[in-house]
């Protein structure tokens, strides 16, 4: 348990940041899941639209430090590859 005033404040800050990061991560997962579902349904137009919506969310997560930039880049790349494969 925190004893000093500054340590108590730090724990409050950490709790706030954790809540914000959790919400962001959840939001990203929702957008990615929507792309996955569109791909699974085989609807290329819907998948492309979902990817277009998910991309900025993923990039924002990278900017805010919720996810690593390379992780986001890899996810976007793989999703785009799968969406593109639907047309073939």
């Amino acid at each position: 348990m925190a004893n000093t005033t500054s340590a108590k404040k730090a724990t409050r800050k950490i709790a706030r940041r954790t809540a914000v990061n959790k919400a962001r991560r959840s939001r990203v997962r929702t957008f990615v899941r929507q792309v996955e579902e569109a791909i699974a349904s085989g609807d290329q137009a819907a998948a492309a639209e979902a990817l277009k919506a998910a991309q900025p969310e993923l990039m924002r997560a990278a900017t805010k430090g919720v996810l690593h930039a390379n992780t986001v880049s890899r996810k976007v790349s793989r999703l785009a590859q799968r969406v593109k494969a639907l047309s073939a």
Side-chain angles (χ1 to χ4, degrees), residues 22-38 50-51 53-54 57-58 79:
K22 209 173 199 177
R24 277 207 183 99
R25 199 172 299 117
S26 172
R27 191 172 158 84
V28 165
R29 286 188 186 134
T30 301
F31 275 90
V32 170
R33 184 172 36 78
Q34 287 170 352
V35 178
E36 298 275 0
E37 287 170 358
L51 178 63
E57 281 301 321
L58 281 156
L79 284 172

Side-chain angles (χ1 to χ4, degrees), residues 29-80:
R29 286 188 186 134
T30 301
F31 275 90
V32 170
R33 184 172 36 78
Q34 287 170 352
V35 178
E36 298 275 0
E37 287 170 358
I39 290 169
S41 73
D43 185 359
Q44 206 221 347
E49 198 62 40
L51 178 63
K52 200 172 175 183
Q55 212 165 345
E57 281 301 321
L58 281 156
M59 293 305 177
R60 193 169 297 119
T63 306
K64 299 295 183 183
V66 177
L67 295 172
H68 194 277
N70 290 357
T71 304
V72 169
S73 184
R74 184 179 67 243
K75 283 182 183 293
V76 169
S77 175
R78 288 181 182 174
L79 284 172

